[in-house]
Amino acid sequence: MAKCRVCSTTLVPFISFGRMPIANGFLAEAEFANEYFFDLAVCFCERCYMVQLLEQPERKRMFHDHYAFYSSTSARMAGHFADFAREVINTYLHAADDPMVVELGSNDGIMLKHFSARFRHLGVEPSENVAQAARHQGIATVSEFFSEGLAERILAEHGPADVILAANTMCHIADIHAVAAGAARLLAARGVLIFEEPYLGDVIAKASYDQFYDEHVFMFSVGSVQRLFAEHGLTVIDVSGQDVHGGSMRYVLAHKRARVPRATVAAQIARERELGLQRAETYSRWRVCVEHNRDALHDMLATFKDQGRRIVGYGATSKSTTVINYCGITPEILEFISDTTPIKQGKYSPGAHIPVRPNGDFAANFPDYALLFAWNHATEIMEKEKAFERSGGQWIRFVPTVEIVARDLVQQS
Ligand code: SAH
Ligand code: TMP
Ligand code: ZN
């Protein structure tokens, strides 16, 4: 029986998505035969409330020198991280004397670039290609997985960190105790650790099952984060919901008793109790809803295909790997996936092997339907693709329910 990565209690599995490839493992035809697969299943821990994958592939299979996710591909996320940085500077750095800022999973520098010109800083980014893109902008970056050992070395070289940042990274790291211990060690006495990750409350409320894929080994809640970091002497002092990546939560932590927790923390924990995030039944009910969505999407696409309609996917997101392979979407159903990331173009989607093509191919010959895999960027995408709708094209989305949506009705999260 698998044990919780946080508290070693026996886990309760609640959904199995079947065999899955590496979500960002876009590949060439010659690589099809050797593609790696693992069992994607999700569990709940009744003791510490952490939702987590039963199995996660070895980290080197996901993060390496040809990692396909470049954070800066989204204009909306670039704006979000500019706001995030401004808030951190105004709240925690304005009075500090020559502060040190460290970011874990800094990728191509989308957030750290707002600090690099003014503050001592260091990005920790194991995927060498994206780290290199950050260095090209003058952002100091070390290409390593964060660990207690690296925390010690950073401490020796730069002194304690006044702010440690992370976005969409903490929930990727299976050995989360090593990260929490390293962060606690590196953090200055009055320092703050701030991270934001996809939020379990949104995943449950919206049935956004596509948030589960190899990289997301954990799906955090305030309750589970508080318990985990308390073991390392860190306390959650503030939380705030964020309208990105389908619904995220930002957590601010400090050394125990260094700062007074705001009322937001207790209020969100109370909300989590109301949502039932601490009860196993919530997850089994959620599974039924997800299975229903899977069947509805498959049936809708099959019907359109039978009617001779052309369907194209929009956004070769990591999340789409779960949707495509779980719902049985094949190259016969989906002509191709349009994506702006050069490293993905000309390759095939993981598992189902649907071609990924540049956005120009979408615009050159609009399909009848576009399946919006990048639903978290719905507003940005639908705004710039007005010509598609004018051509008579329609958007299909599957979160929170499977339906055709019009631009003025869309509710992005
Ligand atoms: N912060 C960016 C990137 C998120 S993708 C954003 O929000 O857009 C997650 C990043 O974490 C990847 O670039 C990956 O290489 C990095 N990563 C994975 N494991 C890590 C670890 N142990 N320590 C630091 N970074 C890690
Ligand atoms: P994300 O959901 O993990 O942020 O990934 C978004 C993916 O969608 C990424 O591969 C880039 C792609 N994309 C487009 O192709 N067009 C767009 O307008 C946007 C915003 C994203
Ligand atoms: Zn646990």
Side-chain angles (χ1 to χ4, degrees):
M1 294 295 250
K3 300 278 196 254
C4 174
R5 290 173 180 85
V6 176
C7 76
S8 301
T9 300
T10 299
L11 290 167
V12 184
F14 62 88
I15 190 165
S16 172
F17 293 102
R19 302 290 285 168
M20 283 285 160
I22 298 294
N24 270 305
F26 296 87
L27 67 180
E29 219 169 320
E31 297 167 311
F32 288 178
N34 289 323
E35 193 170 11
Y36 173 86
F37 288 86
F38 74 107
D39 277 321
L40 180 66
V42 193
C43 310
F44 172 64
C45 175
E46 289 184 292
R47 178 148 174 250
C48 76
Y49 312 135
M50 187 65 86
V51 167
Q52 57 199 280
L53 300 190
L54 192 60
E55 184 189 330
Q56 188 191 34
E58 215 191 325
R59 64 191 187 178
K60 285 245 174 267
R61 285 191 183 275
M62 303 179 284
F63 310 116
H64 37 55
D65 59 4
H66 51 280
Y67 184 55
F69 180 71
Y70 282 73
S71 300
S72 299
T73 45
S74 164
R76 174 143 185 276
M77 288 313 293
H80 172 76
F81 284 119
D83 294 343
F84 189 157
R86 198 172 311 118
E87 200 176 311
V88 170
I89 292 168
N90 292 341
T91 315
Y92 298 106
L93 291 179
H94 66 105
D97 180 27
D98 192 23
M100 176 70 188
V101 178
V102 175
E103 186 185 351
L104 314 182
S106 45
N107 199 276
D108 58 9
I110 189 167
M111 170 137 72
L112 214 43
K113 72 176 180 198
H114 300 288
F115 296 89
S116 58
R118 291 169 58 192
F119 302 106
R120 292 191 297 127
H121 67 277
L122 184 66
V124 178
E125 177 45 70
S127 297
E128 178 59 41
N129 59 322
V130 292
Q132 197 55 30
R135 285 188 203 107
H136 282 312
Q137 300 173 72
I139 301 164
T141 307
V142 51
S143 254
E144 272 186 60
F145 290 96
F146 186 70
S147 63
E148 280 179 89
L150 180 58
E152 288 293 350
R153 276 181 280 136
I154 297 173
L155 192 63
E157 193 175 331
H158 302 274
D162 297 279
V163 173
I164 302 176
L165 301 168
N168 308 302
T169 294
M170 288 293 194
C171 73
H172 291 53
I173 306 174
D175 192 1
I176 193 70
H177 278 301
V179 171
R185 178 83 183 97
L186 181 58
L187 201 62
R190 288 268 304 156
V192 282
L193 163 65
I194 309 175
F195 56 89
E196 100 181 14
E197 311 286 319
Y199 181 53
L200 178 64
D202 287 289
V203 170
I204 294 303
K206 295 173 194 165
S208 44
Y209 63 90
D210 56 349
Q211 290 287 6
F212 290 112
Y213 54 88
D214 55 358
E215 295 181 21
H216 288 174
V217 64
F218 295 114
M219 196 52 67
F220 292 152
S221 58
V222 180
S224 63
V225 164
Q226 193 178 46
R227 192 195 170 289
L228 158 64
F229 283 85
E231 282 187 45
H232 302 274
L234 296 172
T235 306
V236 181
I237 59 157
D238 195 12
V239 295
S240 52
Q242 303 293 322
D243 203 11
V244 293
H245 283 310
S248 293
M249 186 62 69
R250 187 177 299 168
Y251 307 86
V252 183
L253 292 92
H255 287 295
K256 206 166 146 188
R257 285 189 284 274
R259 290 172 185 267
V260 181
R262 296 188 56 198
T264 51
V265 182
Q268 194 62 34
I269 287 189
R271 233 169 274 145
E272 290 181 351
R273 206 156 280 130
E274 277 162 32
L275 254 176
L277 298 189
Q278 280 116 331
R279 288 201 314 270
E281 311 85 77
T282 304
Y283 301 96
S284 38
R285 269 206 314 273
W286 181 84
R287 185 196 64 228
V288 175
C289 181
V290 169
E291 289 172 348
H292 174 80
N293 277 15
R294 172 197 59 193
D295 298 343
L297 182 60
H298 184 271
D299 292 352
M300 178 188 267
L301 298 177
T303 304
F304 291 157
K305 206 64 217 171
D306 287 348
Q307 294 168 348
R309 303 297 163 94
R310 289 179 55 227
I311 317 168
V312 164
Y314 200 102
T317 59
S318 2
K319 299 189 292 295
S320 70
T321 295
T322 296
V323 180
I324 290 169
N325 293 288
Y326 179 56
C327 300
I329 301 174
T330 60
E332 287 70 45
I333 295 176
L334 218 56
E335 208 171 293
F336 64 91
I337 306 171
S338 165
D339 196 283
T340 51
T341 318
I343 198 174
K344 297 180 186 175
Q345 295 163 356
K347 296 215 173 128
Y348 293 85
S349 75
H353 304 158
I354 298 165
V356 180
R357 303 222 201 114
N359 187 245
D361 288 20
F362 178 73
N365 185 12
F366 286 130
D368 299 297
Y369 296 99
L371 178 55
L372 188 55
F373 286 128
W375 56 269
N376 49 310
H377 302 289
T379 311
E380 178 179 347
I381 290 171
M382 291 167 102
E383 197 54 38
K384 73 179 176 200
E385 296 288 5
K386 284 183 192 151
F388 166 59
E389 282 182 82
R390 278 200 300 273
S391 79
Q394 292 188 294
W395 294 101
I396 303 170
R397 74 164 174 197
F398 47 89
V399 166
T401 49
V402 176
E403 59 193 337
I404 304 280
V405 278
R407 181 162 45 88
D408 44 357
L409 296 180
V410 80
Q411 269 280 312
Q412 160 179 302
S413 98

